[in-house]
C-alpha cells in the first residue's frame, strides 16, 4: 500500500477550509535555498510574538523520514501534493510565521492555497553570490546531489523567480546582518496594505476589482493567477504611456510575462472611432497575438472602451484586463464590461459587452492627473452617491478631499463606487431589466451624452463635466415633475459646484441649442419604442427609470437652464 503524505500530515491540525477567521494574518516566507527563510522566520516570529514553523521540518517529522528519502521513494509530484496539504493545514490554524521549502511557492496549487488562506507571502530575493555562499554544505539536498550549486541556483532563479513574484511583498536581501534584514522585514510588514478586493459576481465570468496603492509594480504577480498565459499586448495613450507604462512593464516582466506589443493612441475622445479601432486590430494581429494573449488597457475611459472593443472582436475575443489610470475610469467605466466607439450620431453607439478578467485600480496613478481630470472623475462618484443613498452623505462630507487628491478619500471613493457598480452589473449585466437595473447607472447621462456629442468630443467638455451638468439637470427635472423636493436639485448643484465642477449649462464655455440637444437625446441607447428614457430621483438611494416624461417639460428645462 502506497503511503500518502496526507496520512501523516500533522495530526491534530485543522483541515484547510479557506481564510482563517482572524484579524492577524499568518506570514509565509518563500524564496530559493539559502535565502534565509528559516533564520529570518525565527527572528521575525519572536519580534511579532507569533510561533514559528518550518514546513520542511514539519513534513520530515510527520513522515518519519528525510525529504531526500520521500523524493527517492515516491517522487516529486507526490511530495508536492503532501507539502501543499501540510502548508494548508498549518495556515488554517492560529497565526504563525511559516518558512517554506524553495519549491513550495513554485507549485501553482500551493500558491493558490496560500492566497486562499489570507496569509501574507514574502519573497526573500537574494543575489546569486549570496545564495552560493549560504548553500555551502547542503549537498545532501536532492537538488544539489552531484551538481554544481551555482548551476543549480542559476537554473532555479530562471524557473522560480517569475513565480515568486506573485508573493505579496518582495524583500531584497544581501550580506547585511540578520538583525538588519529583520528590521527591514518588520518595516515592510508595517507598511504593507493589501489591495481591497471588490468581487463582480457573474458566475463563471466573475472577476475582482483590486483597489490600492502600488499595484502597477506588482501587476505581473496579480495578473498571473487569472490569465490563461503570460503573454500580453498593452494599449495606452500618448499621455499615459510615458507616465505609467515603465512601471507596468517592469511589474509584468518580473513575473515572466512576454509583451507582444505596446500600442498607443492619441489621448481624448476623438480616438474612439472605427479608423483607430481598425488600426489597433491590424497592429495586434501583426504582433502575432493568439487567443491566449491578453489585451491590457492602461489609461482612462477612452483607452478602456477602445482596447476593450478591440479585445472583444479580435480573433472573436481575447482575454482583457483593465488598468484604469483616471478617477473616472477607476470608479465607473473599467467595471462592467461595456466597450465601444463613438459614431457621428452619438457616444458609444457601436460596441460590445466584454468583461475583463481583472481590474487593477492603482490609486497612485491618480496623482499624475491634471486637477480638471480629477474633478471630472468625481462626477461619477457623486452619481454613485445619489444612487446608493448613504454614500451621498459621505460625498457631501468628503468630496472636497477627493478632488484635492487625498489618498485615503480616493481609495474610499473608488472602493465604494466599485461596490455599487459591481452589484448592479451582477444583477443586470446587459441592461435588460424592464425598469431600473443597470440603466440606473445612466443617471445624468441622457443629458450628459447629448452635451458631449454636441461638443463634437473636441476636448472642450470632458465626459465627467458633461455628467455633472447632467446630474444637475436630472435632479431639476425630477423636482419639476414632482418626484422630489426642490431641496435636492439645490443640494446636488451646490455640491458639484463646491467641488469645482460645472453643474448647469450656463457653466459651460460654449452654447447649445434646445433643438440640437433634443435631437441627440432622441438617439440615446436607453430609449425604447421611440420614447426617451430618463433616470430620475425621489431622493438619494431612491432612483428610477421613466419614459413618462413630457417632451415639453424637457424642452422648458433646457431653455430655463441656458440652452437657446
Amino acid at each position: 500500500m502506497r503511503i500518502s503524505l496526507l496520512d501523516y500530515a500533522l495530526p491534530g491540525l485543522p483541515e484547510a477550509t479557506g481564510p482563517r477567521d482572524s484579524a492577524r494574518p499568518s506570514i509565509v516566507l518563500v524564496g530559493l535555498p539559502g535565502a534565509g527563510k528559516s533564520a529570518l522566520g525565527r527572528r521575525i516570529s519572536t519580534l511579532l510574538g507569533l510561533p514559528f514553523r518550518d514546513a520542511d521540518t514539519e513534513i520530515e517529522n510527520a513522515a518519519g523520514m528525510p525529504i531526500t528519502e520521500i523524493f527517492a521513494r515516491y517522487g516529486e509530484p507526490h511530495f508536492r501534493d503532501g507539502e501543499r496539504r501540510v502548508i494548508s493545514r498549518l495556515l488554517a490554524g492560529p497565526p504563525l510565521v511559516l518558512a517554506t521549502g524553495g519549491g513550495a511557492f513554485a507549485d501553482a496549487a500551493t500558491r493558490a492555497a496560500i492566497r486562499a488562506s489570507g496569509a501574507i507571502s514574502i519573497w526573500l530575493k537574494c543575489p546569486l553570490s549570496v545564495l552560493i555562499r549560504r548553500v555551502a554544505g547542503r549537498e545532501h539536498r536532492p537538488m544539489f546531489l552531484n551538481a554544481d550549486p551555482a548551476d543549480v541556483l542559476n537554473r532555479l532563479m530562471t524557473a522560480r523567480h517569475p513565480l515568486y513574484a506573485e508573493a505579496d511583498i518582495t524583500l531584497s536581501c544581501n550580506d547585511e546582518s540578520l538583525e538588519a534584514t529583520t528590521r527591514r522585514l518588520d518595516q515592510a510588514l508595517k507598511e504593507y496594505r493589501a489591495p481591497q478586493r471588490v468581487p463582480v459576481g457573474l458566475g463563471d465570468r466573475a472577476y475582482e476589482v483590486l483597489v490600492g496603492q502600488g499595484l502597477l509594480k506588482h501587476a505581473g504577480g496579480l495578473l498571473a493567477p487569472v490569465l490563461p498565459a503570460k503573454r500580453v499586448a498593452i494599449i495606452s495613450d500618448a499621455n499615459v504611456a510615458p507616465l505609467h507604462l515603465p512601471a507596468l512593464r517592469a511589474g509584468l516582466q518580473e513575473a515572466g510575462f512576454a509583451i507582444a506589443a505596446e500600442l498607443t493612441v492619441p489621448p481624448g475622445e476623438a480616438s474612439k472611432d472605427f479608423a483607430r479601432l481598425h488600426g489597433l486590430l491590424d497592429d495586434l494581429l501583426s504582433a502575432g497575438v493568439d487567443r491566449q494573449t491578453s489585451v491590457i488597457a492602461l489609461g482612462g475611459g477612452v483607452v478602456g472602451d477602445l482596447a476593450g472593443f478591440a479585445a472583444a472582436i479580435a480573433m472573436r475575443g481575447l482575454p482583457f484586463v483593465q488598468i484604469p489610470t483616471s478617477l473616472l475610469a477607476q470608479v465607473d467605466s473599467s467595471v462592467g464590461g461595456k466597450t465601444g466607439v463613438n459614431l457621428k450620431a452619438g457616444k458609444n453607439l457601436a460596441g460590445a459587452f466584454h468583461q475583463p478578467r481583472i481590474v487593477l485600480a492603482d490609486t497612485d496613478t491618480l496623482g499624475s492627473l491634471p486637477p480638471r481630470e480629477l474633478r471630472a472623475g468625481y462626477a461619477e462618484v457623486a452619481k454613485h452617491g445619489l444612487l446608493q443613498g448613504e454614500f451621498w452623505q459621505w460625498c457631501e462630507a468628503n468630496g472636497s478631499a477627493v478632488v484635492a487628491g487625498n489618498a485615503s478619500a480616493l481609495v474610499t471613493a473608488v472602493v465604494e463606487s466599485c461596490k455599487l457598480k459591481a452589484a448592479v452589473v451582477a444583477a443586470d449585466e446587459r441592461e435588460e431589466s424592464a425598469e431600473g437595473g443597470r440603466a440606473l447607472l445612466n443617471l445624468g447621462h441622457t443629458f450628459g451624452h447629448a452635451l458631449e456629442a454636441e461638443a463634437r468630443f473636441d476636448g472642450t467638455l470632458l465626459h465627467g463635466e458633461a455628467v455633472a451638468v447632467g446630474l444637475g439637470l436630472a435632479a431639476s427635472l425630477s423636482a419639476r415633475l414632482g418626484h422630489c423636493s426642490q431641496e435636492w436639485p439645490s443640494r446636488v448643484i451646490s455640491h458639484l459646484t463646491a467641488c469645482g465642477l460645472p453643474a448647469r449649462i450656463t457653466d459651460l464655455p460654449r452654447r447649445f441649442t434646445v433643438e440640437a440637444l433634443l435631437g441627440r437625446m432622441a438617439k440615446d441607447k436607453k430609449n425604447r419604442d421611440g420614447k426617451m428614457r430618463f433616470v430620475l430621483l425621489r431622493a438619494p438611494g431612491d432612483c428610477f427609470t421613466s419614459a413618462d416624461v413630457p417632451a415639453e417639460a424637457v424642452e422648458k428645462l433646457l431653455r430655463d437652464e441656458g440652452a437657446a
Side-chain angles (χ1 to χ4, degrees):
M1 179 177 175
R2 181 170 179 170
I3 298 174
S4 169
L5 283 175
L6 178 59
D7 298 330
Y8 49 68
L10 305 175
L13 283 178
E15 291 288 342
T17 57
R20 291 178 303 101
D21 184 17
S22 172
R24 192 174 191 185
S26 289
I27 308 299
V28 178
L29 302 178
V30 306
L32 290 174
K37 300 184 292 294
S38 295
L40 189 59
R42 291 188 182 92
R43 293 269 185 164
I44 197 67
S45 68
T46 300
L47 189 62
L48 298 177
L50 294 175
F52 170 75
R53 305 290 279 272
D54 183 294
D56 282 356
T57 301
E58 299 296 331
I59 292 169
E60 290 184 334
N61 290 341
M65 66 182 79
I67 289 174
T68 51
E69 188 172 344
I70 298 173
F71 265 75
R73 286 192 187 186
Y74 308 112
E76 183 172 2
H78 178 76
F79 171 78
R80 294 299 174 203
D81 179 65
E83 178 184 53
R84 172 178 53 81
R85 295 170 188 271
V86 168
I87 289 172
S88 296
R89 288 184 176 186
L90 284 166
L91 295 177
L96 78 163
V97 175
L98 178 64
T100 62
F105 206 70
D107 179 77
T110 302
R111 291 198 304 278
I114 293 171
R115 280 194 298 270
S117 75
I120 299 176
S121 54
I122 303 170
W123 173 21
L124 305 181
K125 185 178 182 182
C126 293
L128 180 62
S129 57
V130 172
L131 294 175
I132 290 174
R133 285 195 297 274
R134 290 180 179 176
V135 300
R138 297 191 186 186
E139 291 80 5
H140 65 286
R141 301 293 289 188
M143 68 184 68
F144 294 121
L145 289 174
N146 304 312
D148 177 10
D151 291 341
V152 172
L153 290 169
N154 255 320
R155 192 164 58 249
L156 291 176
M157 291 176 82
T158 300
R160 293 180 180 176
H161 274 197
L163 304 174
Y164 292 158
E166 295 183 33
D168 298 309
I169 297 173
T170 298
L171 187 74
S172 295
C173 302
N174 49 44
D175 271 333
E176 67 186 357
S177 68
L178 193 56
E179 291 80 2
T181 306
T182 303
R183 286 195 299 269
R184 288 198 298 113
L185 175 55
D186 181 47
Q187 187 61 34
L189 285 167
K190 289 176 179 176
E191 295 175 354
Y192 175 68
R193 297 292 181 271
Q196 297 193 53
R197 295 173 179 264
V198 179
V200 183
L202 292 171
D204 60 359
R205 293 174 298 111
Y207 58 94
E208 289 185 315
V209 182
L210 274 57
V211 183
Q213 297 176 278
L215 302 189
L216 284 185
K217 64 183 180 183
H218 195 46
L222 296 170
L223 298 184
V226 300
L227 298 184
K230 289 187 173 183
R231 180 174 168 83
V232 298
I234 303 169
I235 298 176
S236 188
D237 73 35
N239 284 346
V240 171
L243 296 172
H244 303 303
L245 182 54
L248 174 59
R249 184 190 299 122
L252 291 169
Q253 291 174 341
E254 172 101 296
F257 275 79
I259 301 175
E262 295 177 356
L263 309 175
T264 58
V265 299
E269 197 75 28
S271 284
K272 281 175 54 177
D273 64 12
F274 271 112
R276 193 71 57 187
L277 176 67
H278 190 282
L280 285 177
L281 292 171
D282 281 342
D283 290 342
L284 287 171
L285 295 176
S286 296
V289 301
D290 57 31
R291 284 185 172 171
Q292 289 198 316
T293 303
S294 298
V295 174
I296 296 178
L298 175 68
V302 168
V303 168
D305 286 355
L306 184 61
F309 195 19
I313 61 178
M315 306 182 79
R316 295 199 173 106
L318 300 178
F320 177 46
V321 174
Q322 285 270 22
I323 303 185
T325 60
S326 71
L327 181 59
L328 188 146
Q330 291 190 4
V331 303
D332 187 66
S333 63
S334 64
V335 182
K338 282 188 176 180
T339 72
V341 296
N342 303 325
L343 303 179
K344 289 182 179 179
K347 185 178 173 72
N348 296 330
L349 291 180
F353 288 94
H354 190 54
Q355 298 293 345
R357 297 293 182 94
I358 191 171
V359 179
L360 300 186
D362 185 341
T363 54
D364 282 347
T365 64
L366 304 180
S368 64
L369 289 178
R372 182 187 175 199
E373 292 275 359
L374 192 64
R375 291 194 299 269
Y378 179 72
E380 295 285 1
V381 179
K383 177 198 76 176
H384 292 143
L386 290 170
L387 291 172
Q388 199 272 346
E390 290 184 13
F391 188 40
W392 172 252
Q393 298 175 25
W394 184 91
C395 288
E396 286 189 306
N398 297 278
S400 58
V402 175
V403 297
N406 178 274
S408 177
L410 284 168
V411 169
T412 300
V414 176
V415 169
E416 294 304 319
S417 292
C418 289
K419 284 180 180 177
L420 172 79
K421 186 157 188 184
V424 173
V425 169
D428 183 25
E429 179 186 4
R430 293 179 175 265
E431 209 168 297
E432 295 171 331
S433 176
E435 294 297 334
R438 187 165 183 171
L440 292 175
L441 295 171
N442 288 293
L443 177 64
H445 284 57
T446 300
F447 292 110
H449 282 171
L451 292 165
E452 264 191 290
E454 196 56 24
R456 301 294 194 274
F457 310 113
D458 62 3
T460 60
L461 179 63
L462 300 178
H463 174 69
E465 294 169 338
V467 168
V469 175
L471 291 175
L473 290 170
S476 297
L477 180 60
S478 299
R480 290 187 180 210
L481 296 176
H483 297 302
C484 69
S485 70
Q486 188 57 47
E487 170 195 3
W488 287 112
S490 297
R491 282 178 68 172
V492 170
I493 291 170
S494 295
H495 176 62
L496 294 171
T497 301
C499 291
L501 284 161
R504 317 187 83 131
I505 292 177
T506 50
D507 294 337
L508 300 178
R510 62 188 301 157
R511 303 278 69 87
F512 299 88
T513 68
V514 172
E515 181 181 10
L517 292 175
L518 288 174
R520 297 287 186 181
M521 285 188 278
K523 297 173 182 176
D524 190 89
K525 301 186 300 298
K526 299 179 296 298
N527 295 346
R528 292 182 182 173
D529 301 322
K531 291 184 177 181
M532 287 189 293
R533 296 175 76 228
F534 291 86
V535 183
L536 304 174
L537 72 154
R538 301 182 184 94
D542 187 6
C543 299
F544 63 100
T545 57
S546 176
D548 188 23
V549 177
E552 54 269 23
V554 179
E555 180 177 346
K556 187 173 190 311
L557 172 66
L558 292 173
R559 291 194 188 282
D560 291 348
E561 288 295 315

